[in-house]
Amino acid sequence: MRQRPRDDSRGILDPARLLREVRFRRHLPAEPLRQWVEHYWLIDWALSAPFEQRVVPHPAVNVVFQRDDSGGDGRVPEVGEVAGVGLDLFRITLTGAGRVCGVQFRPGGFRPFWRRSIAELTGRRLPLPAGRLRRPDFDVCAGTDDDRRRALDAALTAWTPEPDPAAEEAITLAEAIRTDRTVLRVDEFAARHDLPVRRLQRLFTEYVGVSPKWVIRRYRLQEAVEQAAGGPLNWADLAVDLGYSDQAHLVRDFTAVAGVSPAVYARSVR
């Protein structure tokens, strides 16, 4: 079991600017929750001008609480929502002062809590169901980081996720795609794990919310974004490494999701 949260910036466009403008950090949940939850992520800000952040979403569900502190009296209620897997570039503009406390579930990890197909959340952002994490006495964004982490631990534990072997299988398979850059084709991945392709597809639709092909492409695209921020690249070689048919295919995919071409993005973050 992991002892510290991920420290990469995959999916975050221009992460250096994010860290200059706001306080961003990640924390692990209580150990019993780590089988389902990737990490908690916290953002605090006090801005003199609006700040837009763009994110290439992970194939993961997030539960997000946001609190507006611009009034200064602390009496503005938190807003909570469930954010399904985002199919497009996510943009948010932060103004004034506020806080966000989020739970990023592992791909496949939200199904034991939601207890229905995760595909119904894909591309959608819904208010938190009353009586689950949203209660009148529940204030996630108050206090220190430890206070917030304990509040989320308590709330998720009280949600009582149901044991689900299929969720464990989906989580394991999605993690294999994320960590193994040689995974480029669904049929080869299914054969490697002795699974029929159709069963793999049904499992991902039900538990992750998107197809295994989509997950492969999204993780490889995030790899391209990460490398683009790191320095000069041979885009043709990277396209081959990431399983694209050619450089033009990578450029089209990158531009469609990130909103700018790889070359423009690389120049903007240096």
Side-chain angles (χ1 to χ4, degrees), residues 145-257:
D145 282 16
D146 283 343
D147 293 332
R148 302 183 209 185
R149 188 169 64 237
R150 283 193 292 266
L152 287 169
D153 284 343
L156 292 177
T157 300
W159 202 340
T160 59
E162 294 181 335
D164 189 338
E168 297 174 14
E169 182 181 20
I171 290 168
T172 299
L173 292 169
E175 180 69 7
I177 293 173
R178 184 180 75 85
T179 56
D180 185 353
R181 280 185 52 183
T182 68
V183 178
L184 302 175
R185 292 175 54 91
V186 174
D187 55 352
E188 293 175 356
F189 181 68
R192 189 182 303 181
H193 292 273
D194 197 26
L195 287 170
V197 170
R198 289 182 64 82
R199 182 179 180 278
L200 178 64
Q201 291 170 333
R202 288 195 298 269
L203 179 71
F204 269 58
T205 298
E206 174 78 13
Y207 282 82
V208 183
V210 286
S211 71
K213 179 179 179 180
W214 192 95
V215 174
I216 292 171
R217 292 285 293 277
R218 178 52 55 91
Y219 277 137
R220 301 304 160 252
L221 182 61
Q222 289 190 341
E223 178 71 18
V225 171
E226 186 86 351
Q227 293 203 31
L233 286 173
N234 183 315
W235 290 99
D237 288 347
L238 181 62
V240 172
D241 289 345
L242 298 181
Y244 286 89
S245 56
D246 53 29
Q247 180 179 343
H249 188 191
L250 169 59
V251 170
R252 286 196 302 272
D253 209 10
F254 191 111
T255 304
V257 175

Side-chain angles (χ1 to χ4, degrees), residues 29-43:
E31 190 161 337
L33 294 167
R34 294 179 196 176
Q35 60 185 308
W36 302 295
V37 176
E38 180 73 30
H39 54 243
Y40 301 148
W41 51 275
L42 310 180
I43 301 176

Side-chain angles (χ1 to χ4, degrees), residues 12 25 28 57 62 67 91 95 97 116 158 163 192 195 251 257:
I12 301 173
R25 58 266 192 221
L28 288 179
N62 283 262
R67 177 168 161 177
R91 299 172 182 264
T95 60
R116 300 194 302 274
R192 189 182 303 181
L195 287 170
V251 170
V257 175

Side-chain angles (χ1 to χ4, degrees), residues 81-94:
E81 67 177 9
V82 178
V85 175
L87 301 178
D88 303 311
L89 183 68
F90 173 70
R91 299 172 182 264
I92 185 170
T93 299
L94 303 178

